[in-house]
Amino acid sequence: MLQWLFATLHLLALGCGLGALAARGRNLAPPLDAPALTRCLRADNWWRHSLLLWLCSGTGLAYYHAALLWQQGRPVPLAMAKLLGIVLLLLLEWRTRPLISQCRQRLERGRLPADELCRQLARHSRRQLLLLLLLVLLSSAWQTGAFNTP
């Protein structure tokens, strides 16, 4: 029962996160105005909450499926690729946080952020979105047993 709940939360968080990343990047497209930036920051809030839920539920699922991470005393290559992708996603998020903070501070002061800052944040959003889609692809390949050679 708990495993089913983790899986449900994991998929729900994944869907919300994909939509939030796409919205964050889309709302940073020029010409940027205050309402678009507000929508971008709201989408970022959704992304942060869904990322937290996604990581927590994924950790719960990994606990139940720990035996699938290792086969014949070796790590499963797709599982390790997925873990590497998660680390890369978290590193990108760590690099994105200061940019978001700058945007929030400028908006609170009644100013729009610089165009270069918005372009950089949009680039980070696209990279995170592509990486998250790659993680979905790796997860589905792993769960179906593709490329898992003995």
Side-chain angles (χ1 to χ4, degrees):
M1 177 76 170
L2 194 57
Q3 183 179 357
W4 169 77
L5 179 64
F6 281 141
T8 302
L9 290 174
H10 198 66
L11 289 175
L12 180 66
L14 178 65
C16 288
L18 283 169
L21 276 175
R24 185 176 78 181
R26 185 181 59 243
N27 284 313
L28 288 167
L32 187 67
D33 56 356
L37 189 59
T38 303
R39 287 191 303 271
C40 168
L41 296 175
R42 192 175 308 125
D44 181 66
N45 288 337
W46 275 96
W47 162 241
R48 284 188 298 149
H49 289 99
S50 62
L51 179 63
L52 182 64
L53 182 60
W54 183 63
L55 290 173
C56 291
S57 61
T59 303
L61 285 172
Y63 173 77
Y64 283 105
H65 297 287
L68 296 177
L69 296 172
W70 295 86
Q71 289 180 351
Q72 298 175 349
R74 294 182 313 172
V76 175
L78 284 175
M80 295 302 113
K82 184 178 175 185
L83 290 175
L84 177 64
I86 291 169
V87 168
L88 289 174
L89 184 70
L90 291 174
L91 283 174
L92 272 172
E93 183 61 22
W94 180 67
R95 290 183 62 200
T96 303
R97 284 297 105 209
L99 302 175
I100 292 288
S101 295
Q102 288 178 14
C103 286
R104 287 186 193 280
Q105 289 170 358
R106 288 182 184 252
L107 191 62
E108 287 172 359
R109 292 183 198 137
R111 297 185 313 201
L112 290 177
D115 287 340
E116 178 57 33
L117 178 66
C118 291
R119 278 194 297 273
Q120 196 175 10
L121 188 55
R123 212 171 24 250
H124 282 255
S125 296
R126 283 191 301 272
R127 287 178 185 157
Q128 284 179 303
L129 183 62
L130 288 174
L131 192 53
L132 197 56
L133 289 171
L134 178 65
L135 285 172
V136 170
L137 182 71
L138 286 172
S139 294
S140 63
W142 178 31
Q143 291 300 319
T144 59
F147 310 112
N148 289 347
T149 56

